[in-house]
Amino acid sequence: MITPCDAVRLILKHARPLGARRVGLTDALGHCLAEDVRADRDLPPADRSAMDGYAVRCADLAKLPCDLRLKGEVAAGSPARPRVTPGSCVRVLTGANVPPGADAVVMVEQTAARNGHVTFHGRPSPGANILRQGEDARKGATLLRKGTLLGPIQIGTCAAVGKARVLVRRRPRVAVLCTGEELRAPEASVRAHEVRNSNGPMLCAALEAWGYPNATCVTVPDDAALLTGALRGHLARHDVVLLTGGVSVGNYDFVRKAVDRIGATVRFHGVAMKPGKPCLYATTRKGKQIFGLPGNPLSAMNGFHEFALVALRRLSGLPPGECQPSLRVALASPITSPGGRVRYLLARLAWGDDGVRAEPVPTHSSADLVAGGRADGALVVPADAREMAAGSLAEFRPWRPWR
């Protein structure tokens, strides 16, 4: 049976970034760059004052206190360039270009201005409080590389260099097919043999949280022909189809049969992990991605984050090494495992004086949504680990973005 690590390698082998399109910055959030972004000029484009104060010649302040004649003012955005000559100074505000002749800026707190003169009580060193032209980046320097996920600060960087429209990868279109005769809508009254469909809303919310909104979600009964038709139809309109339930080997588990009937290639079916052992991954000749996730909610959530999210992020243009969100955190308490396969234990993150720690959340089964509601994600316990001490570092898979 394939290991989770080998399963991820297979997914990264068969998932390729989707096509690119150019969008405005207001529509770029959460997309991956499909091009490098370069500086269109030096940053800063000129020597600039780092604070409010006075531009001076250091040679004029050899003895303190010292009075200098106030020659003018330069505000941020002003093109004024009054030259600082011996015995004079120029008032500058934060972000203003440093006037010619000056080699330092003295902060206003170290001065006193009166009647056109300024008394200085502090002696600067050459270059003090000056942001030098090009010290952040030179014209033509690469600021953001292809594959960068665009967040607020990256969009600000694009705006600063005049990149009002950027080339980004298209985000995948996703459909969620929830299988099962027992499923009813969340608002429905249910009898003892029925369950409300929690997987659909849960997975659609997870997709939106990770940057893939507007997923299609439908419920399909346990019928091989109906499931095959639904799978074929949604693959025609979507890049990725997630199926929940029906992925094991029971009499009413028809996902594998449907996948085979549409001619998709199964890359793996069954993973040495708990929960999530029945997980399935398949691809079509056109590169569409199919994930079969178990019906129990915690298994489905675990399979989504361990496998499906990896494919979604790679399709979106992220580099392979950044497709599986993971943190290294210290354990708040010891954990044990029977070993033999990789275990995923519910955990929540807790912040204390000694930093962040992962606290295991007890659970009764992979259907225990009550416990799931208390968790922030899952700890990864290696197959060969029998116990892990409190304070030791462990892999943690967050079930929502931590930014």
Side-chain angles (χ1 to χ4, degrees):
M1 191 177 296
I2 195 170
T3 66
C5 286
D6 287 340
V8 168
R9 291 190 189 99
L10 265 179
I11 293 168
L12 292 173
K13 178 181 177 181
H14 293 286
R16 295 285 184 268
L18 299 174
R21 62 192 182 103
R22 199 167 291 279
V23 300
L25 294 183
T26 55
D27 297 316
L29 182 67
H31 286 81
C32 287
L33 282 172
E35 64 178 348
D36 292 342
V37 172
R38 302 179 183 275
D40 67 332
R41 59 178 181 170
D42 288 347
L43 297 175
D47 289 353
R48 285 182 169 168
S49 177
M51 58 186 58
D52 294 344
Y54 295 90
V56 300
R57 299 169 66 250
C58 289
D60 287 338
L61 302 181
K63 295 182 179 180
L64 297 178
C66 174
D67 284 353
L68 298 178
R69 178 171 56 87
L70 182 59
K71 195 172 182 180
E73 177 182 279
V74 183
S78 170
R81 290 176 55 82
R83 176 171 288 277
V84 176
T85 54
S88 71
C89 64
V90 171
R91 180 185 292 113
V92 290
L93 282 79
T94 302
N97 287 351
V98 175
D103 58 6
V105 171
V106 178
M107 63 179 66
V108 69
E109 291 83 355
Q110 296 178 343
T111 66
R114 184 178 182 184
N115 297 329
H117 286 75
V118 181
T119 300
F120 292 82
H121 301 286
R123 181 181 296 112
S125 57
N129 303 316
I130 293 177
L131 304 175
R132 291 299 185 188
Q133 178 177 344
E135 72 173 29
D136 294 340
R138 288 295 183 183
K139 181 179 179 179
T142 300
L143 307 183
L144 300 172
R145 296 199 176 275
K146 181 170 66 173
T148 298
L149 184 63
L150 292 173
I153 193 69
Q154 290 78 22
I155 287 175
T157 301
C158 292
V161 297
K163 203 69 175 167
R165 294 182 65 80
V166 289
L167 190 67
V168 298
R169 293 289 177 187
R170 180 174 67 80
R171 287 185 291 195
R173 298 180 294 263
V174 187
V176 180
L177 308 187
C178 301
T179 71
E181 295 287 348
E182 73 280 16
L183 298 180
R184 298 293 180 267
E187 67 273 15
S189 297
V190 291
R191 293 172 290 179
H193 62 283
E194 298 170 332
V195 296
R196 294 185 178 95
N197 182 3
S198 58
N199 283 341
M202 176 183 72
L203 289 172
C204 287
L207 285 162
E208 184 164 6
W210 287 103
Y212 307 98
N214 305 316
T216 300
C217 184
V218 299
T219 300
V220 184
D222 289 325
D223 181 285
L226 291 176
L227 182 57
T228 301
L231 179 57
R232 181 180 286 113
H234 283 284
L235 282 172
R237 301 186 298 274
H238 300 88
D239 304 293
V240 179
V241 173
L242 310 180
L243 301 106
T244 69
V247 76
S248 193
V249 292
N251 292 337
Y252 296 95
D253 292 324
F254 297 122
V255 166
R256 176 63 185 260
K257 182 178 290 186
V259 169
D260 290 337
R261 283 182 176 180
I262 67 167
T265 300
V266 175
R267 303 297 178 179
F268 63 76
H269 186 190
V271 185
M273 61 189 290
K274 185 176 181 179
K277 178 183 174 182
C279 282
L280 176 148
Y281 169 58
T283 59
T284 70
R285 286 188 295 272
K286 293 184 177 180
K288 303 294 183 77
Q289 310 279 303
I290 303 168
F291 289 90
L293 305 175
N296 280 339
L298 301 185
S299 295
M301 197 67 160
N302 197 53
F304 169 80
H305 286 92
E306 196 68 8
F307 304 127
L309 184 59
V310 172
L312 290 165
R313 287 165 71 88
R314 184 65 182 129
L315 292 170
S316 301
L318 276 163
E322 298 178 24
C323 289
Q324 188 168 61
S326 188
L327 305 172
R328 292 278 286 176
V329 296
L331 295 176
S333 58
I335 57 177
T336 60
S337 170
R341 52 179 164 161
V342 179
R343 308 275 169 159
Y344 296 83
L345 304 182
L346 289 183
R348 70 179 188 91
L349 299 181
W351 281 260
D353 294 338
D354 56 349
V356 62
R357 288 181 174 259
E359 297 181 347
V361 174
T363 178
H364 295 103
S365 72
S366 58
D368 189 355
L369 268 175
V370 176
R374 303 187 184 110
D376 295 311
L379 288 165
V380 183
V381 183
D384 59 354
R386 301 289 179 170
E387 58 183 33
M388 299 179 71
S392 61
L393 293 179
E395 289 289 327
F396 177 80
R397 300 281 195 261
W399 283 1
R400 57 180 172 177
W402 294 93
R403 294 174 178 169

